[in-house]
Amino acid sequence: MRILGIDPGLQTTGFGVVDVDGHHLSYVASGTIRTTGAALGDLPGRLKILFDGITEVAARYQPDASTVEIVFVNVNPQSTLLLGQARGACLTALVASGLPVAEYTALQMKKAVVGNGRAAKSQVQEMVRRLLQLPGLPGTDAADALGLAITHAHAGAAMARLGEVTTLNRRQHAMYRGGRTL
């Protein structure tokens, strides 16, 4: 399975692509999409750059699934609103590309990758480098995006197993109740 992780940002959006085969993770690609080509006040232009960039990444690497970081309210409400719009452009591009989208908080990603939800960006970079056996540290935005893909690789497998258990439990329950589904 190939997973595309997205760390949304209005100026810089990170992306990371990881292949998953059982418990084995393989690095495919990572990088950033920068909106500096549009004027600072041109929000629609910047959102279009993000949409087009994510669409291009999805077309180039053909992922099976995607994941995006969930954004929380920051100290500055205006910054939060702008970041939310950037995230919306990324989500829309992924859905328009036909990809299922999972969402994780930064805390969930850091906990899954580093083991500590309050880990520093440098710790995320180092663990991503180790887990994917990279020759050097990825940039912070790309490392976060790769971390999201890694998180989904682990969480997605666990959720699939949970789904199997839930389906099994429903079948057992239906059999116990005389074959009727509730």
Side-chain angles (χ1 to χ4, degrees):
M1 175 183 344
R2 181 166 284 185
I3 303 170
L4 168 59
I6 302 293
D7 179 33
L10 188 56
Q11 291 183 12
T12 305
T13 289
F15 71 88
V17 184
V18 173
D19 279 342
V20 184
D21 184 12
H23 293 290
H24 182 71
L25 299 171
S26 300
Y27 173 84
V28 176
S30 65
T32 56
I33 300 164
R34 299 188 187 278
T35 63
T36 52
L40 225 64
D42 182 13
L43 179 62
R46 295 175 110 186
L47 296 177
K48 182 175 180 348
I49 291 169
L50 290 177
F51 180 89
D52 291 346
I54 298 295
T55 301
E56 180 183 328
V57 168
R60 178 178 297 163
Y61 297 107
Q62 298 290 302
D64 302 301
S66 64
T67 180
V68 178
E69 185 177 306
I70 296 173
V71 177
F72 284 102
V73 176
N74 296 319
V75 176
N76 181 342
Q78 183 64 27
S79 295
T80 303
L81 288 171
L82 291 171
L83 181 56
Q85 291 180 55
R87 185 174 179 276
C90 295
L91 286 168
T92 303
L94 294 168
V95 171
S97 297
L99 292 169
V101 180
E103 299 174 276
Y104 301 96
T105 64
L107 187 115
Q108 289 171 315
M109 182 272 288
K110 290 175 180 182
K111 183 90 171 155
V113 173
V114 179
N116 175 4
R118 305 260 183 242
K121 284 199 174 278
S122 61
Q123 291 173 298
V124 173
Q125 286 176 286
E126 179 58 29
M127 282 307 296
V128 165
R129 185 193 69 74
R130 288 182 187 190
L131 289 169
L132 297 176
Q133 301 174 356
L134 301 175
L137 290 178
T140 56
D141 297 303
D144 285 352
L146 288 165
L148 287 162
I150 292 166
T151 300
H152 188 62
H154 297 308
M159 294 307 270
R161 285 192 302 276
L162 183 61
E164 290 169 9
V165 170
T166 302
T167 302
L168 179 62
N169 287 342
R170 285 187 187 142
R171 281 191 215 128
Q172 287 174 337
H173 185 70
M175 287 174 29
Y176 179 75
R177 303 284 255 151
R180 293 190 325 253
T181 54
L182 303 174

